[in-house]
Structures are given as C-alpha cells and as structure tokens.
Amino acid sequence: MPANSKSIVFDKMQQVAFFESPVGSYEIKADDDGITSINLKGEKLEATEENKKLDPNSHSTRHLQECIAWMNAYFSSSPMQKVKVPSLNVQEYEISKPFCCKVWKILTDRVKPGETVTYGELANMAGNPKGARAVGMAMRTNPIPIIVPCHRVVKSGGGLGNYSSYNGVVTKKWLLQHEKAII
C-alpha cells in the first residue's frame, strides 16, 4: 500500500508536511537546515486551505520533498539506496544532548533496514559500553524517528523494547516486519 503526502504547510520559520502511511499519519517539520521533526500522529491529518501555502524559494520545501520521497520509497518497499536521505537538523540538541546526537548518527549510518542492534551494542558503538540506559533515553527523545531508525534498537534478551511513537510496540513491530528484520 503506497503512502503519499497530503499537504505542505508554511509555519513561520518552519514548514510542515503531512504524510499518510500504513501505520498512521506523520507530521514532518523542516527549516532551511533540514528536517527538524517527524511525529507519527496516528489519525489522518489535514491542513486548512489557508495553511497550504508553500514557499517555493525555501530550502525547507526541498527538505520536505526529499523526506516525502524517502518515506514513499520506504513504505512502498522500493530500493532505498536509490532515494536520497533527507538532510536532518538536530542543531538544537547538539549542546544539550551531545551523546544523543552521537547515538542518532551512528544508528542512522550503521544500522540498515532489515538489521537490528541492541541498546548495549549501540552504547558500545558510541564508545560508552555501560550506556545502554543512555541509549534508551536517546531513542525516547529522538525527534526524527523512522529516518533515525530507533525502531531498530531492541533488547538484548530478544524482546522488542519500547517505542515512543504512536501505538508504541505495535508500530515498532510493524516497521521491523516491514523491513523483514523480524517475522
């Protein structure tokens, strides 16, 4: 079931896009530096007519379009290597949450679709072998889930672990099954 964008909304310094997927509606926000957040809302989202204005000269428009293309490929099971990963902007977290930023980057760069990693393994990859709980906090505060794939982080005992997005572990399980990481 292919997903598609519903609308793009201009909101002061950021623009917002809505994306329908098999697991629910995503709200995607971007500024000129990249995607700033992706939030799975669950219910269908619609922009009002007055909010459907798009600034064609804005870099944030390009970031939203790249993100929508990436999400379309992801949910339609198209080859992901042919789609550009959208630029991400986590600058507001770089000072207050440097470990989180490090973990998000490692997770995004090293754990590909169809793969999983434990909280402890990811902590070790980030240079903090005893930081499994800190990795859990990084996953819980991830502002860009699905592109920063926190759903791929699982418990060392074989359980799925938590998922802070809409519908929790049910969504995490669906995403992992979609990627064929679990059956």
Side-chain angles (χ1 to χ4, degrees), residues 104-179:
W104 297 334
K105 178 148 180 44
I106 290 168
L107 178 60
T108 304
D109 291 347
R110 296 192 199 170
V111 184
K112 303 302 176 199
E115 300 175 353
T116 60
V117 64
T118 67
Y119 293 94
E121 289 169 337
L122 189 52
N124 198 41
M125 293 164 89
N128 186 356
K130 296 184 184 215
R133 286 181 184 253
V135 167
M137 177 60 77
M139 298 304 98
R140 190 169 31 260
T141 60
N142 174 8
I144 311 173
I146 202 156
I147 294 178
V148 176
C150 54
H151 62 278
R152 296 183 191 145
V153 184
V154 297
K155 289 181 163 183
S156 60
L160 292 179
N162 294 320
Y163 192 61
S164 59
S165 198
Y166 171 78
N167 223 7
V169 177
V170 172
T171 299
K172 183 174 188 170
K173 184 177 180 182
W174 189 96
L175 294 170
L176 290 171
Q177 287 175 330
H178 175 68
E179 294 180 2

Side-chain angles (χ1 to χ4, degrees), residues 10-29:
F10 183 70
D11 178 31
K12 296 183 184 176
M13 298 299 288
Q14 290 195 0
Q15 291 190 86
V16 179
F18 300 105
F19 182 88
E20 292 295 318
S21 82
V23 294
S25 296
Y26 284 92
E27 178 185 70
I28 309 161
K29 293 184 180 180

Side-chain angles (χ1 to χ4, degrees), residues 28-169:
I28 309 161
K29 293 184 180 180
D31 63 17
D32 284 348
D33 295 320
I35 302 298
T36 57
S37 71
I38 298 177
N39 191 359
L40 179 58
K41 299 286 193 174
E43 73 278 357
K44 190 172 183 174
L45 302 170
E46 292 286 338
T48 62
E49 283 303 314
E50 68 221 32
N51 287 338
K52 288 185 180 178
K53 297 177 183 134
L54 182 63
D55 180 359
N57 298 317
S58 172
H59 290 290
S60 59
T61 300
R62 185 185 78 241
H63 297 308
L64 289 171
Q65 290 167 337
E66 288 171 355
C67 187
I68 290 165
W70 186 94
M71 292 178 82
N72 268 320
Y74 177 85
F75 284 109
S76 68
S77 300
S78 296
M80 296 301 294
Q81 64 272 23
K82 294 183 178 183
V83 182
K84 181 183 186 314
V85 175
S87 299
L88 307 178
N89 179 5
V90 293
Q91 292 173 3
E92 73 176 87
Y93 302 100
E94 289 173 350
I95 293 173
S96 63
K97 297 182 180 188
F99 182 73
C100 290
C101 290
K102 182 177 185 179
V103 168
W104 297 334
K105 178 148 180 44
I106 290 168
L107 178 60
T108 304
D109 291 347
R110 296 192 199 170
V111 184
K112 303 302 176 199
E115 300 175 353
T116 60
V117 64
T118 67
Y119 293 94
E121 289 169 337
L122 189 52
N124 198 41
M125 293 164 89
N128 186 356
K130 296 184 184 215
R133 286 181 184 253
V135 167
M137 177 60 77
M139 298 304 98
R140 190 169 31 260
T141 60
N142 174 8
I144 311 173
I146 202 156
I147 294 178
V148 176
C150 54
H151 62 278
R152 296 183 191 145
V153 184
V154 297
K155 289 181 163 183
S156 60
L160 292 179
N162 294 320
Y163 192 61
S164 59
S165 198
Y166 171 78
N167 223 7
V169 177

